[in-house]
Amino acid sequence: MTTTTFAPGPLLATRTPDLAEHVRRTGPLPWQGPGGRLIGLLEQAGLTGRGGAGFPTWRKLAAVAIGVRPVVIGNGAEGEPASAKDRTLLSRSPHLVLDGLQLAAEAVGAADCYLYVSGTLTDHVRRAIAERAGRDRFAVTVVDAPDTFVAGEESAVIARIAGRKPLPTDKTQLVVHSGLRGRPTLVQNVETLAHIAVIAQRGPAAFRRSGTEAEPGSFLATLGGAIAAPGVYEAPHGIRVGNLLALAGGQAAPLSAVLVGGYHGAWLPIADALTTPMSRAGLAPFGATPGAGVVQALPTSYCGLAETARITGYLAGQSARQCGPCANGLPMMAQTLHRLAVGDRDRGLPDQVARLSALVVNRGACHHPDGTVRLVSSAMRVFAAEVDLHLAGRCSAVGGPR
Amino acid sequence: MKLHVDWTACEGRGTCVELLPEVLTEDPWGYPMPRDGSREPSVPPDVEPYARRAVEYCPRLALRLVPSAS
Amino acid sequence: MTNALWYVARGTGVVTLVLLSVVVALGIATRSARPVFGLPRFAVVWVHRSASLLALVFLAIHVITMLLDPFAPLRLLDVLLPFAGPYRSFWLGLGTIAAELLVAVLVTSLLRQRIGVRAWRFVHWAAYLSWPVAVAHGLGTGTDNGTVWLWTITGCCVGLVLACVCWRLSDGFTTRPRVHLTDRTDQLAGVR
């Protein structure tokens, strides 16, 4: 269901950095008691993870709840440079996230709770936790996350909290069965935790009032690029990309394409982008997903290939370098795209990109190479005309590539 | 059975590619690549003894055989 | 009879040293992840393992015949505890140390899947240590340590192992030649 005017969503509607204000607006913590009541509410609400994977939240909690001495981890690492929603949420309304963490801990019977945030936010979060002495039942340990791209990957989070390097590990079992030190572990993005708190307080029906039938609720989007007011906005699932950009004041310049889903997302050509709904169903035809809500508008003055080459170079540099195909393949792919972007007229370059993509996909401990290939493949599709221009020694970007 | 590669341990020494050519080939950097393009290639029953040998001979213990059932 | 035991004991000792030197060379060849002398990589591993088992068989015969020989001053205690015997006890003790390191390598290698790569590698590096200890033991205890043939054999073993260690430490040992990705002149640099 889509409307053209949107009331501010529950996550960003108010700013409540201190506990007193939070209590004034939301009241006491809506403890659910034993028996998995919260899990039932979340199933009715249809909440899915807001960290990018979009997994049904109630399923994760149910799997962890049956385990022994489970662990709950709130993941606020936000390694994606184009995303700012988690830090925005944590600075504006940490108590919403912390309420959600307590509720999740109660629902699974957690033995330990952690909150994993960037080093710049640890003090702020610790202060917020300190205020909650009378409100919390579960002690929360704050762990600082480095600002690397892969530090927010589920197994990297667990590794860091276990005292090792924040790098992805080999997956032998799902972390909901065996995660931190072999214990059932719930890793939940901080935005998801905030939604849990709101659902517990207002009920699943209120949550379902926005969004679509299949993908209910609101989400936080980080809007950037050539728009009037870049920033973090809250919007309902299913909102058309054009309306989403309108929340940020609309286009600041003529656009050629829109990047949806962040650096592991996909490009949408401008002809289709504005009317495409921000939902899994709406984006699937373009090989994209809403991901963690990052949307970047590319103006015609920037070359799409150059921008993709820049992002791929960044992603290659962020490889954990643990796995051969990624450590070797991604830098090579970045180099090839760079050559294409600067006007190397070798007609074999697009083939080389395709070959490298096939080589790195599905091979690695995490999905870093897969996400990179998703971005690159969409670029080669959406900017196919641009590729031809570059191979002919020209570029369509007004004023040339950046 | 399926073959699981611990990519963080694999160093592309290539013993497995020699011992299990039905399932694996080598990428340009020496790392094993499943011929069927999947993340965990299935190992047909007649090839399973050779897969076990490949698991045994991996110098980095980077291979495991896991059940196919989901 | 006892003379025969004595000859067997010394002979198997020398054979053990030669085999151990070959095992070290093959171990380095295994690590190189290259086909060697026409053998594919898995065969290099296999020969390395088989030779080490053979070396341990000769080591066992060496120790047992020494124990059985009434004139050889080796007690069961010396097999387990280094530096406890009276006869040239220092050099004998070295033999005990080398033997125990090798047994540790054998046990950890048989249990490799259980103990994991890191524990296995830690003990396996001890194997590098057992070789010079074994060489010193051979030169120090043997009654024929002044003879030309023993020095020659030992010299060849040391030469072989030193040559392989130089190879191990050389540039580009851990990077293998890579195939071209495309038909063009782009060459993928060996990585790592």
Side-chain angles (χ1 to χ4, degrees), chain A residues 78-83 146-151 262-264 306-320 330-331 333-335 337 368 372 375:
Chain A
E78 195 159 54
E80 163 93 58
S83 178
D147 287 326
T148 57
F149 193 79
V150 297
Y263 285 8
H264 277 181
E307 183 64 9
T308 306
R310 183 192 70 82
I311 295 174
T312 310
Y314 167 79
L315 292 173
Q318 289 291 303
S319 164
L330 257 52
M333 200 178 321
Q335 196 187 60
L337 281 169
H368 188 64
T372 307
L375 174 78

Side-chain angles (χ1 to χ4, degrees), chain A residues 207-234:
Chain A
F207 181 78
R208 294 199 80 101
R209 224 167 276 142
S210 58
T212 68
E213 186 62 38
E215 297 169 57
S218 64
F219 71 100
L220 294 181
T222 312
L223 307 178
I227 48 179
V232 176
Y233 296 85
E234 188 167 3

Side-chain angles (χ1 to χ4, degrees), chain C:
Chain C
M1 171 61 180
T2 54
N3 250 357
L5 270 178
W6 183 239
Y7 281 120
V8 168
R10 282 167 23 203
T12 51
V14 174
V15 171
T16 303
L17 180 67
V18 171
L19 282 172
L20 283 179
S21 311
V22 168
V23 168
V24 172
L26 285 169
I28 291 173
T30 300
R31 177 63 186 88
S32 75
R34 290 173 174 80
V36 163
F37 293 134
L39 288 174
R41 291 170 292 216
F42 77 87
V44 176
V45 181
W46 188 87
V47 177
H48 168 72
R49 291 182 180 188
S50 304
S52 64
L53 287 176
L54 194 63
L56 282 162
V57 166
F58 274 93
L59 176 64
I61 298 174
H62 173 69
V63 170
I64 291 170
T65 51
M66 284 284 190
L67 281 173
L68 293 177
D69 187 345
F71 291 114
L74 187 72
R75 307 161 298 168
L76 196 56
L77 179 66
D78 304 313
V79 175
L80 300 170
L81 222 59
F83 311 126
Y87 169 64
R88 299 199 194 192
S89 57
F90 172 68
W91 303 103
L92 201 71
L94 289 184
T96 308
I97 290 174
E100 287 179 345
L101 284 173
L102 289 169
V103 169
V105 171
L106 170 73
V107 170
T108 49
S109 294
L110 290 173
L111 296 177
R112 207 159 68 108
Q113 304 275 352
R114 300 265 179 86
I115 63 176
V117 160
R118 295 237 303 267
W120 172 84
R121 270 180 89 199
F122 179 73
V123 176
H124 217 72
W125 274 92
Y128 268 120
L129 192 66
S130 70
W131 180 83
V133 171
V135 169
H137 163 76
L139 292 177
T141 50
T143 45
D144 38 26
N145 61 350
T147 61
V148 171
W149 68 267
L150 185 66
W151 277 100
T152 310
I153 291 179
T154 308
C156 291
C157 289
V158 170
L160 171 67
V161 170
L162 279 182
C164 289
V165 169
C166 285
W167 180 38
R168 175 67 179 89
L169 297 173
S170 66
D171 266 341
F173 178 81
T174 46
T175 65
R176 289 189 287 133
R178 308 293 189 198
V179 250
H180 290 241
L181 174 65
T182 64
D183 295 334
R184 304 166 52 250
T185 50
D186 270 8
Q187 184 119 38
L188 294 175
V191 184
R192 219 179 332 117

Side-chain angles (χ1 to χ4, degrees), chain A residues 257-350:
Chain A
V258 178
L259 179 64
V260 174
Y263 285 8
H264 277 181
W267 292 100
L268 266 57
I270 193 63
D272 302 309
L274 298 179
T275 52
T276 304
M278 268 297 272
S279 65
R280 297 189 91 88
L283 291 167
F286 300 96
T289 67
V294 173
V295 176
Q296 298 234 302
L298 186 77
T300 50
S301 56
Y302 277 29
C303 173
L305 286 179
E307 183 64 9
T308 306
R310 183 192 70 82
I311 295 174
T312 310
Y314 167 79
L315 292 173
Q318 289 291 303
S319 164
R321 307 200 67 77
Q322 297 184 111
C323 311
C326 177
N328 291 330
L330 257 52
M332 193 110 243
M333 200 178 321
Q335 196 187 60
T336 311
L337 281 169
H338 176 77
R339 288 173 56 199
L340 203 50
V342 298
D344 185 327
R345 297 169 70 162
D346 182 348
R347 303 210 79 87
L349 289 176

